[in-house]
Amino acid sequence: RRSERSRRAIYAAALTLVGEVGYPKTTVEAIAARAGVGKQTIYRWWSSKADVLLEAFLDLAEQAARAAGQEVDAIPDTGDLAADLKAVLRATVDELLDPRFEAPARALAAEGVVNEQLGREVVTKLLEPQLRLYVARLRSAQEAGAVRAGVDPRIALELFVSPLAQRWLQRTGPI
């Protein structure tokens, strides 16, 4: 069984180290030392530093959303689709620029490109659940007549989220 205190310490250590020294220089040994646990504890619960970082990042994002009073499993539906999407996108931009999130998010994005297994997990555990929330909100707006019936919600979503992601990933300008 996992000790909650140890798990929290490992999460904090992984996130802090990635922010301080970057992903390539973060090691399981360094995470264990910073968390005050044995390296074997980490390997008992996770197979790699990438797995630790992904789980720590998911936990951080969920805690931040709850602390901000945001629903973790829904896009707001005030009846004004444009306002709802702007609010969620603004919160997303704020999170992407928050130093607590930026380093681990960039590390996961970069490592996910070269580590196929991690890339699939990032998509499955982090991106797809969020994208499904947007799609559900767009479908709801379609049913209410706020979005044309022939519009594919997934493609519409990609048209307004992709430029934001591109600018953030490549640091090509303000997001």
Side-chain angles (χ1 to χ4, degrees):
R1 292 185 344 202
R2 288 187 186 186
S3 156
E4 181 64 16
R5 191 177 54 103
S6 294
R7 184 175 68 86
R8 291 265 162 231
I10 292 166
Y11 285 175
L15 293 167
T16 301
L17 282 166
V18 166
E20 288 175 1
V21 301
Y23 182 80
K25 292 182 181 176
T26 297
T27 64
V28 169
E29 291 80 6
I31 294 169
R34 176 75 61 100
V37 301
K39 166 170 90 164
Q40 68 278 9
T41 298
I42 293 176
Y43 281 120
R44 191 175 326 127
W45 297 339
W46 299 279
S47 62
S48 68
K49 71 178 179 180
D51 292 339
V52 175
L53 184 60
L54 176 57
E55 196 172 302
F57 186 79
L58 291 167
D59 182 73
L60 174 66
E62 184 175 321
Q63 284 187 15
R66 290 192 195 291
Q70 298 169 348
E71 297 235 3
V72 177
D73 57 354
I75 302 282
D77 188 349
T78 64
D80 183 342
L81 177 63
D84 294 343
L85 293 177
K86 284 178 189 174
V88 172
L89 287 172
R90 177 78 256 159
T92 300
V93 168
D94 290 345
E95 188 175 288
L96 289 171
L97 298 177
D98 182 329
R100 294 175 304 154
F101 292 93
E102 187 171 16
R106 284 189 184 284
L108 289 167
E111 186 64 17
V113 170
V114 296
N115 177 334
E116 189 177 330
Q117 172 67 27
L118 177 65
R120 280 194 305 273
E121 287 188 49
V122 167
V123 168
T124 301
K125 294 179 179 177
L126 182 64
L127 297 178
E128 274 305 318
Q130 292 299 310
L131 296 176
R132 280 194 298 271
L133 296 177
Y134 278 99
V135 169
R137 178 63 181 93
L138 288 169
R139 282 204 176 103
S140 169
Q142 258 179 335
E143 292 166 5
V147 174
R148 284 193 325 261
V151 171
D152 180 323
R154 180 63 185 236
I155 292 173
L157 162 67
E158 290 176 8
L159 289 172
F160 61 82
V161 171
S162 293
L164 178 141
Q166 184 74 15
R167 281 179 165 250
W168 178 76
L169 283 169
Q170 295 185 348
R171 302 177 193 220
T172 57
I175 56 173

